[in-house]
Amino acid sequence: MQKYILIIVAALIVTSCKVQKNQTTTPVSTTKPISNNAGFFSAIEKKSTFDAVKINSKIDAKTGSFIPTLDAVIYIENGQKVWMNLTAVIIQAARGVATPEGIKGYYKLDKTYIDSDFGYLNKLLNVNFIDYNALQNLLLGKTFIPVSENDYNLTQNANGFNLTSKQTQKITENGKTTEYKISLDYDTDFNLNHVLLTNPANNNELEITYSNREILSNESFPKSVKIIIKADKTDEILLENTKFDFSRMETTYSVPANYKKTEIK
């Protein structure tokens, strides 16, 4: 089941995407670090104002095992929940939901399910700081990591801006502290383009690339997203958007009878 839960997690993380080859570039800094730029930090921390959005997407994943292309419906109520449904060859395969309380999901083909706090999601992504607010910002292509002028160097380059942690950033969650090297790239409109988190203790990486942005309902949505999770092996999740709809919808979720709970290890 874990490979499908990873896809559910990915779909809960990103709204929509269409993969582009060679879309990840490392801008060359052309200026010295910018200081006292309160306007930049205010712009990248701007909150979403939409009420709800439904996205139809296609998902492809490379996890070392064969997974067919999946059709997904992803529905987000701002600040409340992220709900998604997966189908493979018109047959429902899985369903999941994330709320501030945690994440739930079930996989129909082997009759298993999860019901967890965000520890399960953090484990799959090899990080320790994702809660619902961070998840929503991440899925919308917004800054999901706390940043400040004191802890980061801000530089301007040909493609926009870059934030790089001055030192490894220590993030403590549930009594456990993890250090990360962090780099974030933004375009000239302050939209997040690329995130790279590296854990220097084990060289694990989480890399996310956002591109092909479109203004919809006064919100900048990334139409292209690529997630790469590097640990003992490398998992890659790609999603392709097909349609946006900003009306509310019913989002039922209940685990069918006789399903077995998958325990977190």
Side-chain angles (χ1 to χ4, degrees):
M1 179 192 183
Q2 178 138 339
K3 63 183 181 180
Y4 282 93
I5 292 299
L6 182 60
I7 295 174
I8 290 176
V9 166
L12 290 174
I13 287 175
V14 257
T15 55
S16 60
C17 50
K18 172 183 175 185
V19 178
Q20 294 183 330
K21 296 181 179 179
N22 300 324
Q23 62 185 2
T24 302
T25 60
T26 302
V28 177
S29 177
T30 59
T31 66
K32 65 181 181 179
I34 300 169
S35 61
N36 301 318
N37 196 327
F40 172 86
F41 288 94
S42 176
I44 67 171
E45 294 172 357
K46 184 178 179 181
K47 296 184 181 299
S48 297
T49 58
F50 71 90
D51 179 50
V53 60
K54 171 187 173 184
I55 307 106
N56 294 86
S57 300
K58 291 186 181 295
I59 303 175
D60 287 292
K62 299 177 182 178
T63 65
S65 301
F66 171 74
I67 301 175
T69 298
L70 298 169
D71 292 311
V73 174
I74 307 168
Y75 175 76
I76 308 159
E77 285 185 10
N78 192 6
Q80 301 297 316
K81 65 180 172 182
V82 180
W83 175 96
M84 61 94 53
N85 188 69
L86 293 174
T87 58
V89 195
I90 76 172
I91 300 173
Q92 184 193 12
R95 182 169 291 181
V97 62
T99 67
E101 287 70 43
I103 59 172
K104 300 178 181 181
Y106 67 81
Y107 176 45
K108 192 171 183 179
L109 298 184
D110 70 358
K111 295 185 177 181
T112 54
Y113 73 96
I114 60 167
D115 188 344
S116 171
D117 59 18
F118 284 91
Y120 192 89
L121 174 56
N122 280 288
K123 181 177 177 61
L124 289 180
L125 294 176
N126 295 318
V127 296
N128 74 328
F129 56 84
I130 299 295
D131 57 12
Y132 183 84
N133 289 329
L135 172 62
Q136 178 161 314
N137 282 338
L138 193 158
L139 64 87
L140 293 173
K142 292 180 172 291
T143 305
F144 58 92
I145 305 163
V147 294
S148 69
E149 292 186 68
N150 293 333
D151 296 327
Y152 287 79
N153 285 325
L154 170 61
T155 57
Q156 191 165 3
N157 53 65
N159 296 323
F161 303 89
N162 171 261
L163 280 180
T164 302
S165 53
K166 294 179 180 178
Q167 301 175 350
T168 55
Q169 297 298 293
K170 296 181 180 180
I171 299 178
T172 301
E173 183 68 23
N174 296 325
K176 180 181 178 180
T177 299
T178 305
E179 297 187 12
Y180 302 94
K181 293 180 180 178
I182 303 172
S183 176
L184 305 100
D185 292 314
Y186 299 82
D187 65 20
T188 54
D189 293 322
F190 311 112
N191 295 311
L192 184 61
N193 280 344
H194 182 253
V195 180
L196 179 61
L197 286 84
T198 304
N199 184 334
N202 52 24
N203 290 321
N204 288 350
E205 291 184 355
L206 173 63
E207 182 176 13
I208 305 175
T209 302
Y210 303 98
S211 60
N212 283 357
R213 286 184 174 269
E214 184 174 356
I215 304 299
L216 299 166
S217 191
N218 298 316
E219 181 88 13
S220 175
F221 288 92
K223 293 182 64 180
S224 301
V225 177
K226 181 177 184 179
I227 301 174
I228 300 176
I229 304 166
K230 296 181 180 179
D232 295 333
K233 64 184 185 72
T234 298
D235 292 319
E236 199 170 293
I237 300 97
L238 316 173
L239 298 90
E240 181 178 354
N241 166 69
T242 57
K243 183 180 178 182
F244 287 96
D245 184 344
F246 291 90
S247 58
R248 281 185 172 256
M249 64 173 284
E250 292 295 325
T251 54
T252 60
Y253 179 87
S254 62
V255 178
N258 301 319
Y259 275 45
K260 181 180 179 180
K261 186 176 182 179
T262 297
E263 298 297 335
I264 301 171
K265 296 180 180 181

